[in-house]
Amino acid sequence: METSTHYMQRALALARQAEGRTSPNPLVGAVIVHNGRVVGEGYHRCAGAPHAEVEALRVAGAMARGATMYVTLEPCAHHGRTPPCTEAIIAAGISKVFYATGDPNPLVNGKGHARLAAAGIAVDCGLCEREARELNRPFFKHVTTGRPLVTAKFAMSLDGKIATRTGDARWISNPASRQRVHHLRNLSDAILVGVGTVLADNPCLTTRLPSSAGVRHPLRIVADSTGRAPLTAAIFDPQLPGHTVLATTTVAPAGYRAELAARGVEVWTLPADPRGRVSLPALLDAIGQRGLLTLLVEGGSELLGALFAEGLVDRVWVFVAPLIIGGVGAPGPVGQPGAARLAGALRLRNLRVELIADPADADHALPTQPDLWIQADVAPGAFEQTEVEEGESLPDPPTGRGVGKPGFPVCSHHH
C-alpha cells in the first residue's frame, strides 16, 4: 500500500503541471484516496479555473465520501473568483484532509483548516511542507510583499566574463543552454532588461521552443530612465507576440513615450532613484500590482548590479561555459557598485548544479564540452559598502549568513 507521502508527492507533481500559468494564484494539486485507491486527481490550471480540490472531487464523484484528500496548500474558505473549496470538501463527505503547507493569504491563513475541523473532518498539516513551500515560493512572496520573485539569469565564461573586451558575446553558452533559457521564459510571468542590453544586443525576448503549442511569451519590460532605446528596437516591434512595457521616468521625452504608446507599448512612468534611474523597488511594486509572480532579469550588468546592491534578487540561474575569455576590459555579469569587502559579498545557498550538453554534439568528432547550470538562492541582504581604510586588515569572510524566512504560517497544529 502506498504511503501518505507518496500521495502528497503525486499532488505536488500535479501542481507543477501548471507552472507559469496560474498567476496571481498559487500552484495547487490534489489527490483523493479511498480504501488505498486513488479515485480522484486534479490541479489548478489557471486563474479563474476550478481549484485543484474541486477538480479532484469531480473525478472522484460518490467515491469521495469517506475518502482522504491530499492537497498541496491549505484549502480556501472564502469566495474569490470561485466558491470556497472547504464547502465543496465538506459537501462531498471527505473524512480526512492532509495539506502540505498553510496559505499566508490573510483571506485563508488558518481559516480553511478551522472550517474543515469545525465540520468534523480530521485535518493534518505539514506533510511534504518544505517541497510545497518551495513550489509556491513566488506566490508566497507576492502575498507577503506585493512583489514578484526575482531571478537573475546570465551566462558567463569560467573566468566570469559575459563578453570579450571588444563586446563580442554571441555565443558564450551552448545551444542546449540557450534552449533551456527559452523553457525558463515559458515558465516566467515577466522578463526585465536594462536599456544597455537593448542597445548592445537588440533582443526580442520572445519564447522560442520546438513546439509552439502552449508557448507563453512573458511580459517584456525595458528599464530605460531617459528614453535611450531607439524606437526601431526589435523589442518595440508591434508584430512581436505578447506585450512590451517601457519602464521609465519623467526625464524621457513626452513625445518619445507617446510614440511608443501609439505602437502598442505600455509605458510605466515611475519615480526615479537618487541617481536618476528608474526606482527598482517602485518597478517591482508595479509588476506585483499586475498580479505577476515571477520576474526573470536577463541583464545587463548595470541593472543586475543595482538589483543586487538593493537586495532585490531572490535567486540566480547562471550558465557557466567552459571558456576562458580573459582581459581586464572584458565585462562581468554584475556591475557596480559591488561589495567593498569579501565579508560584505552576497552569500548563496541551496545550490543545485546540472550539466547541460548539446545533443547535436553526439554526431561530431570533436564535441563541445557541456555548460554548467547553477541554480542558487540569494541570502537576504544587499552588498556591504563600507570602504576599506588604507592599512586596515580585513576579517575572514563569514561561512554563512542568517537566513530570514518569509511569512509562512507554520504547520504546528495536527488534528
Side-chain angles (χ1 to χ4, degrees), residues 198-275:
V198 174
L199 294 172
D201 301 335
N202 196 27
C204 292
L205 298 184
T206 52
T207 302
R208 300 182 292 280
L209 294 173
S211 172
S212 60
V215 166
R216 194 229 190 136
H217 299 281
L219 183 69
R220 299 177 291 271
I221 305 171
V222 180
D224 181 4
S225 58
T226 61
R228 294 166 54 205
L231 296 172
T232 56
I235 201 168
F236 296 145
D237 185 346
Q239 300 303 313
L240 287 181
H243 301 280
T244 299
V245 167
L246 172 72
T248 189
T249 69
T250 54
V251 175
Y256 173 84
R257 287 180 275 158
E259 175 64 25
L260 284 176
R263 297 185 182 197
V265 175
E266 190 173 346
V267 178
W268 295 352
T269 304
L270 300 171
D273 68 11
R275 296 182 58 185

Side-chain angles (χ1 to χ4, degrees), residues 178-216:
R178 298 198 297 275
Q179 189 64 33
R180 180 67 60 89
V181 170
H182 287 282
H183 173 71
L184 298 175
R185 288 180 183 175
N186 190 47
L187 302 179
S188 300
D189 291 335
I191 304 176
L192 173 64
V193 295
V195 64
T197 295
V198 174
L199 294 172
D201 301 335
N202 196 27
C204 292
L205 298 184
T206 52
T207 302
R208 300 182 292 280
L209 294 173
S211 172
S212 60
V215 166
R216 194 229 190 136

Side-chain angles (χ1 to χ4, degrees), residues 147-378:
R147 294 176 177 174
L149 190 78
V150 178
T151 302
K153 188 278 297 180
F154 50 88
M156 68 180 190
S157 63
L158 193 59
D159 58 336
K161 308 296 185 180
I162 61 171
T164 68
R165 56 184 173 79
T166 63
D168 186 13
R170 293 191 176 181
W171 296 99
I172 287 179
S173 56
N174 67 34
S177 293
R178 298 198 297 275
Q179 189 64 33
R180 180 67 60 89
V181 170
H182 287 282
H183 173 71
L184 298 175
R185 288 180 183 175
N186 190 47
L187 302 179
S188 300
D189 291 335
I191 304 176
L192 173 64
V193 295
V195 64
T197 295
V198 174
L199 294 172
D201 301 335
N202 196 27
C204 292
L205 298 184
T206 52
T207 302
R208 300 182 292 280
L209 294 173
S211 172
S212 60
V215 166
R216 194 229 190 136
H217 299 281
L219 183 69
R220 299 177 291 271
I221 305 171
V222 180
D224 181 4
S225 58
T226 61
R228 294 166 54 205
L231 296 172
T232 56
I235 201 168
F236 296 145
D237 185 346
Q239 300 303 313
L240 287 181
H243 301 280
T244 299
V245 167
L246 172 72
T248 189
T249 69
T250 54
V251 175
Y256 173 84
R257 287 180 275 158
E259 175 64 25
L260 284 176
R263 297 185 182 197
V265 175
E266 190 173 346
V267 178
W268 295 352
T269 304
L270 300 171
D273 68 11
R275 296 182 58 185
R277 304 174 303 188
V278 171
S279 166
L280 295 176
L283 175 55
L284 295 185
D285 288 339
I287 295 169
Q289 287 163 12
R290 288 280 295 261
L292 305 176
L293 305 188
T294 53
L295 175 66
L296 184 62
V297 184
E298 297 205 20
S301 61
E302 181 180 352
L303 176 61
L304 287 172
L307 284 164
F308 279 110
E310 296 190 46
L312 298 176
V313 179
D314 298 295
R315 63 187 179 188
V316 294
W317 289 341
V318 183
F319 295 86
V320 182
L323 302 173
I324 299 294
I325 292 176
V328 175
V334 181
Q336 298 286 12
R341 304 165 177 256
L342 277 180
L346 294 178
R347 302 285 157 177
L348 303 181
R349 53 186 178 143
N350 300 330
L351 268 69
R352 280 108 37 219
V353 179
E354 178 183 342
L355 287 174
I356 301 182
D358 185 2
D361 278 345
D363 300 326
H364 295 167
L366 294 173
T368 58
Q369 294 301 304
D371 291 342
L372 199 63
W373 183 31
I374 302 173
Q375 305 168 70
D377 298 332
V378 181

Side-chain angles (χ1 to χ4, degrees), residues 94-183:
I94 291 288
S95 63
K96 184 168 186 177
V97 172
F98 287 89
Y99 68 92
T101 187
D103 186 338
N105 185 340
L107 295 172
V108 181
N109 198 350
K111 297 181 177 68
H113 185 116
R115 176 70 184 103
L116 294 173
I121 296 174
V123 186
D124 188 289
C125 172
L127 184 64
C128 301
E129 186 171 14
R130 182 187 62 79
E131 297 97 317
R133 287 186 176 183
E134 181 61 28
L135 175 71
N136 272 313
R137 193 174 163 202
F139 171 74
F140 290 138
K141 185 187 177 186
H142 187 259
V143 166
T144 55
T145 69
R147 294 176 177 174
L149 190 78
V150 178
T151 302
K153 188 278 297 180
F154 50 88
M156 68 180 190
S157 63
L158 193 59
D159 58 336
K161 308 296 185 180
I162 61 171
T164 68
R165 56 184 173 79
T166 63
D168 186 13
R170 293 191 176 181
W171 296 99
I172 287 179
S173 56
N174 67 34
S177 293
R178 298 198 297 275
Q179 189 64 33
R180 180 67 60 89
V181 170
H182 287 282
H183 173 71

